[in-house]
Structure formats: structure tokens, C-alpha cells
Amino acid sequence: MNREKRNKNKFEKNILCIGGGYVGGSTMAVIAQKCPQYKVTVVDINPNRINQWNSDNLPIYEPGLDKIVHSIRGKNLFFSTDIEKGIKDAEIIFVSVNTPTKTFGAGAGMAADLQYWEKTARQIRDAAESNKIIVDKGTLPVKTALAMERILTATDNDIHFDVISNPEFLAEGTAISDLTNPDRVLIGSRETPSGIKARNEVVDIYKNWVPEDRIITSDIWSTELSKLTANAFLAQRISSINAMSALCEKTDANVNEIAHAIGMDHRIGDKFLNASVGFGGSCFQKDILNLVYLCRHYGLDEVANYWQSIVRINDYQKDRFIFNMLHTMFNTLVDKKICLFGFAFKADTGDTRESPAIYISKKLLEEKAELIITDPRALENAKIDLNDTDGKIRYIEDPYKASTDCDAIAVMTEWDIYTKLDYEKIYQSMSKPAFIFDGRDILDHKKLFEIGFNVFPIGKPKLSHFKDK
Ligand code: UDX
Ligand code: UDX
């Protein structure tokens, strides 16, 4: 037996993941940790990403991930750029490449851009020398699996591929706990003997640590649509509470009181009811737009309009925030120094994809304000996001230094550190009148007001020192 064969046989299964992003990287780290009997390899077309995965500085920040990767990398978890070899060696291939919203052609701004997925399917087909199970980890439009099957089977070799849908429900910042203790794992396949056999092989992976009653198997179309529906429902809750926040600001009601009161109704529940400057992240908007596109495709305009309104309210919330700043600061922001507390789309991640902070920064720059951006993890991404903008921007990690001489602070991300700062000291260092716009409602507004700030929360009465309020 040659050495390569012996190494291959050391493990019960060879699992490959194509795409080493947030989803692929975190999921494979947890699978490898929970299943030492499997060899897990992550490949990516981006060699920098792979170098980072093999270094001390992982390409993504996710609490708990470093520890796992460092403890098993080189044992049963490997990162490589050799996609072809990875495909040949693996029995099960997870695909976790990005599927952003299309920016061109038919369905631009709505439909999913499937070019990477399709290229990946062709790559698998061309390199495979034996039967494979292909597991789609992404959020894809319903019936994508069918298209994948067609590409994979469009050759005259007799290699058999089973396409399985196993959408990911992890949220960034809590990815490791979401993966180790999931509410449910969803695995869909064709309901043919071969499809069901392949599905069971994927179930077997998760059974290593997930209780069986939390592993749901289903047909592939329901599985794909469940993922879109889950994200649409979650985003809908945020848009619903954000819509109420606008009404609260007009009527002096308090949106937190409302969220608390309705959340205690078990039928509603208390999660995802935090009013905010708007939701961001790589999935919510993309998935809802996908759903809208799908509904329009099937002539269901009313249904499409219903879901599209979730995105409209989200845009409205961001616009309201800017308008409020402009209006409050005497209708001009020209040369005013505005310090953004946070740039990530949520706390505990360095990810800024679709972060409301991007849109708000651009609008503030259009008003000719000067921006000082601070964030404990996301400054590098912020620089990339605002790379093509004109205007004055500084990036400063220390929030005290960042806010010095500023006219206003706008909280964009609910980082815990912002609740623990010495606001007396910050107030002393700022221009007066000093304003705080709390886009996440995380600060002690009464205390800030007593210090001297003019405070503008989301969905709560403003606390202003101006007589003409
Ligand atoms: C991605 C998708 O965006 C999401 O819709 C899906 O639910 C799961 O996978 P994420 O892991 O957050 O989510 O994306 P990203 O961090 O962009 O990672 C994708 C990786 O795939 C990148 O590292 C990219 O280099 C890689 N890739 C992309 C390939 O390896 N091959 C390709 O052809 C395209
Ligand atoms: C989401 C889904 O939660 C996850 O299941 C799916 O797989 C991918 O998309 P993620 O985008 O990582 O995960 O973050 P999530 O915690 O859902 O937050 C999304 C956005 O909503 C963030 O900008 C967050 O700040 C915002 N949000 C969340 C609110 O504004 N209010 C809330 O009450 C909750």
C-alpha cells in the first residue's frame, strides 16, 4: 500500500469544503472537532484566505474559533488551495461559496448571482473520479439544486452525484455555539433511494454531536425554501419593531417597553425585537430579495410586495436616522465632526457586509460631515468599504481619542465596550453642544443627558437641553 493510500485510510471519511468564508470555515472547524475520525479539508480559490487560515491570524473573527482551529489544524483539519486534489479525495463535498445579489443583467439588485456556484459545480464535475455527495451549505434560490444536478451530470462518464441541501443557520458572533448546539439541522434531498442514502450519510456526520430529534430531513425544495423563510421571518421582526420605533418617537412611547410587553406573550417570544438603525449582514437583505424575485417569477406580485416591504422599512430606518441627525444638528452637517461608534453590522464580528454604518457614512459624507470611525474589530473592512468615497474620514481604534473634538457620536454597533466608557470624560473632550444618536439603544440615556449630552435614542423620547424642543 503506498503512503498516500495509507494516509487516506487513516480516516473513516474524507470531507471537503469549497469556500473558506465565515460559513465554510466555522462549520468545518466544528465538524472536524466533533468528528476526529473524519479528515476535513477546506479549499478556497483565494490563496490569501488559505494562508490566513494556516497562520496565527485567521481571516475571520469569531469568538471561540481560534481555539478550535489551533487545536486540530494539521491533525484532521486542513486548509489548502489544491481544489482539484481536494475534490478527488473527498466522498462528501460541502459547497460554501458566496452567492451575492446580482449586480448586472436580468434580476440585478434582486436575484442571486450564481456564477461562483456554477463554476464550482463544473470544477467538481471535471475533477471527480468517483461518486460524490455534494452538500449545498449556502442560501440559494429554490431549485438551484436541480440546476446543479444538471451541470454535474452533463458528461458521459458514469460518476454519480447526489446533491443535498443543508442550509446554515449560524449567526456571526455566535457561530461556534450555534454550530455546537443548533436548534435544528436541516438536510434535504431528492426522495429517491440514492438521494435518501446520501442524505443519511450527511445525517451521520451531524449525529456525532447533535441529538437526533434536532436533525430534520426533508425534500430538497422545502429545505431550500425553509432557509429563505427563516431569514425573512427574522428580518421581518426587526422591520416590524423598527416601524413601531418611528411611531414611538412621534408619540413619546418607548419601544423597549413595547418589545418587553409583547415579547412576554409566548406566541410572540422575546428574540429579535431590538429596535435598531437597521439590520445588516450578508444574508437578510440578500435572501429577502431572492424571495421577492422568486415570487415575481411565479407571478405572485402581492406576496413579493409583502416581503419587499421588509427591506423598504429597513432602508427607511437608515434614512430616518440620517434625517434626524441633520435636522437636530441645525440642518447642516458641513464640517461637523461625527464619530461613529462601531462599523460592524453587529457586535462580536469584524464583518461589515451590508452594515447600516456603510450607508450612513456615505450619506454623512454627502452632507460634507467629517467622519471619525472607531470599532474594535472592523476598521480594516471599514477602510475597504469606504475606499471609493470622497471626504474626510479618520479611523481610530481608541473611542476616547476618536470622539475628542467631535460634535456628535452615533452608535452604529452594539459593542459592549461602548456601554462601559467614561462618558463624563468623553463629554469634556467634545465640542458643545454635544450630541449622541444611539442607533442601538445600548447606552444609559438618562445619565448621558445629566452629563450634558443631547440624546437621541431609537424609538424613545429624545432628551434635549434645547428649550424649543
Ligand atoms: C457564504 C455565502 O455568502 C452565503 O450565502 C452562504 O449561505 C454560505 O456561504 P460566507 O461564508 O459568509 O457565506 O461567505 P464568504 O465569507 O464570502 O466566503 C465565501 C468563500 O468562497 C470566499 O473565501 C471565496 O474566496 C470562496 N470562493 C468563492 C471559492 O472558493 N470559489 C469560488 O468560485 C468563489
Ligand atoms: C442571520 C441569521 O440569524 C442566521 O440564522 C443566518 O444563517 C444568517 O443570517 P447574521 O446575519 O450573522 O445571521 O446575524 P443576526 O444576528 O441575524 O443579525 C442580523 C442583523 O439584524 C444585524 O445587523 C443585527 O444587528 C440586526 N438585529 C438583530 C437587529 O437590528 N435587532 C435584533 O433584534 C436582532
Side-chain angles (χ1 to χ4, degrees):
M1 199 187 286
N2 66 30
R3 180 192 287 186
E4 202 188 333
K5 220 165 183 182
R6 225 181 15 246
N7 275 347
K8 212 172 149 181
N9 288 348
K10 207 172 91 186
F11 296 100
E12 244 175 57
K13 265 189 187 78
N14 283 299
I15 294 175
L16 178 75
C17 179
I18 304 181
Y22 278 87
V23 172
S26 310
T27 312
M28 291 307 119
V30 170
I31 291 182
Q33 184 200 34
K34 299 290 180 188
C35 314
Q37 71 276 29
Y38 304 154
K39 179 180 177 188
V40 179
T41 308
V42 178
V43 291
D44 200 293
I45 39 162
N46 180 347
N48 287 338
R49 272 233 153 153
I50 293 299
N51 284 341
Q52 286 174 306
W53 278 114
N54 281 322
S55 76
D56 284 341
N57 291 318
L58 302 188
I60 59 169
Y61 168 67
E62 193 58 54
L65 179 64
D66 278 49
K67 212 171 138 210
I68 299 179
V69 171
H70 290 135
S71 68
I72 53 175
R73 193 173 56 196
K75 292 184 181 146
N76 72 327
L77 177 65
F78 299 88
F79 296 92
S80 159
T81 47
D82 195 342
I83 302 179
E84 210 180 301
K85 178 169 185 312
I87 294 169
K88 286 192 202 316
D89 288 350
E91 289 99 36
I92 301 184
I93 302 177
F94 286 80
V95 180
S96 186
V97 300
N98 34 338
T99 50
T101 306
K102 256 185 108 175
T103 53
F104 53 88
M110 285 279 177
D113 184 347
L114 295 174
Q115 58 170 316
Y116 306 117
W117 224 113
E118 188 179 323
K119 270 182 209 147
T120 304
R122 288 175 196 275
Q123 244 171 356
I124 296 173
R125 181 193 68 192
D126 296 343
E129 292 168 348
S130 56
N131 296 350
K132 314 270 171 208
I133 297 173
I134 313 300
V135 188
D136 160 25
K137 261 282 148 213
T139 314
L140 293 165
V142 181
K143 306 253 165 170
T144 303
L146 182 63
M148 290 309 130
E149 273 177 9
R150 288 191 179 140
I151 291 170
L152 289 166
T153 51
T155 58
D156 45 13
N157 63 28
D158 51 2
I159 296 175
H160 181 76
F161 296 96
D162 283 292
V163 180
I164 302 290
S165 168
N166 171 218
E168 190 47 70
F169 293 103
L170 66 81
E172 287 175 31
T174 53
I176 301 304
S177 57
D178 293 344
L179 283 162
T180 44
N181 188 23
D183 285 346
R184 78 317 203 175
V185 171
L186 198 51
I187 304 172
S189 71
R190 279 190 173 276
E191 313 241 66
T192 57
S194 150
I196 290 172
K197 186 167 169 280
R199 180 165 93 189
N200 288 338
E201 282 207 40
V202 181
V203 170
D204 283 344
I205 299 176
Y206 286 99
K207 267 196 335 207
N208 283 287
W209 77 97
V210 180
E212 255 178 272
D213 59 357
R214 291 202 211 158
I215 303 178
I216 307 173
T217 53
S218 175
D219 68 274
I220 203 158
W221 320 129
S222 306
T223 303
E224 288 185 334
L225 195 52
S226 298
K227 167 73 191 213
L228 289 187
T229 313
N231 276 348
F233 268 59
L234 289 169
Q236 179 222 46
R237 287 174 69 93
I238 304 169
S239 276
S240 297
I241 201 74
N242 281 344
M244 295 316 294
S245 77
L247 185 58
C248 287
E249 285 164 33
K250 295 283 182 209
T251 58
D252 281 351
N254 181 327
V255 77
N256 284 1
E257 299 291 326
I258 293 174
H260 180 62
I262 65 166
M264 283 182 72
D265 183 329
H266 281 103
R267 293 168 303 173
I268 297 174
D270 59 1
K271 305 274 183 344
F272 269 65
L273 287 177
N274 291 325
S276 65
V277 61
F279 59 74
S282 65
C283 287
F284 280 178
Q285 175 162 317
K286 176 192 77 170
D287 287 355
I288 296 173
L289 293 177
N290 236 317
L291 188 59
V292 170
Y293 187 74
L294 192 71
C295 294
R296 292 219 192 283
H297 172 80
Y298 287 108
L300 302 171
D301 279 339
E302 291 302 324
V303 184
N305 293 343
Y306 174 73
W307 289 112
Q308 191 153 25
S309 70
I310 310 299
V311 176
R312 263 196 223 118
I313 288 287
N314 200 46
D315 292 339
Y316 169 70
Q317 190 74 349
K318 291 181 269 189
D319 283 328
R320 242 167 43 75
F321 192 81
I322 305 280
F323 178 77
N324 196 15
M325 287 182 86
L326 177 64
H327 178 70
T328 307
M329 296 172 75
F330 319 113
N331 292 311
T332 174
L333 297 175
V334 178
D335 290 337
K336 286 194 176 140
K337 294 190 178 65
I338 297 176
C339 182
L340 297 190
F341 271 17
F343 203 85
F345 80 97
K346 63 189 248 189
D348 293 325
T349 178
D351 194 353
T352 59
R353 286 178 289 180
E354 302 290 343
S355 176
I358 301 175
Y359 181 81
I360 285 171
S361 297
K362 289 184 177 167
K363 288 284 172 187
L364 292 174
L365 290 169
E366 274 174 28
E367 293 293 341
K368 301 196 187 305
E370 180 178 341
L371 295 187
I372 300 89
I373 299 175
T374 181
D375 188 293
R377 293 278 173 186
L379 287 190
E380 289 314 309
N381 280 332
K383 285 178 198 166
I384 298 167
D385 295 329
L386 299 178
N387 187 26
D388 58 350
T389 51
D390 293 327
K392 289 188 205 152
I393 315 177
R394 284 180 287 144
Y395 301 89
I396 302 178
E397 203 168 314
D398 179 344
Y400 292 106
K401 287 192 186 134
S403 52
T404 299
D405 286 334
C406 285
D407 296 277
I409 292 171
V411 180
M412 295 286 102
T413 313
E414 70 280 22
W415 286 105
D416 203 31
I417 45 161
Y418 301 140
T419 64
K420 299 190 173 123
L421 299 175
D422 178 350
Y423 281 93
E424 189 75 58
K425 178 173 156 187
I426 290 177
Y427 181 73
Q428 297 309 332
S429 77
M430 285 176 68
S431 280
K432 309 293 175 327
F435 297 87
I436 288 199
F437 299 88
D438 186 354
R440 295 289 182 168
D441 279 353
I442 53 167
L443 304 181
D444 183 340
H445 302 136
K446 191 161 162 279
K447 194 168 153 202
L448 293 173
F449 177 68
E450 282 160 9
I451 290 172
F453 285 103
N454 296 295
V455 188
F456 295 80
I458 298 272
K460 289 185 192 179
K462 63 188 171 193
L463 297 167
S464 165
H465 292 284
F466 301 115
K467 295 248 172 349
D468 60 344
K469 65 185 169 129

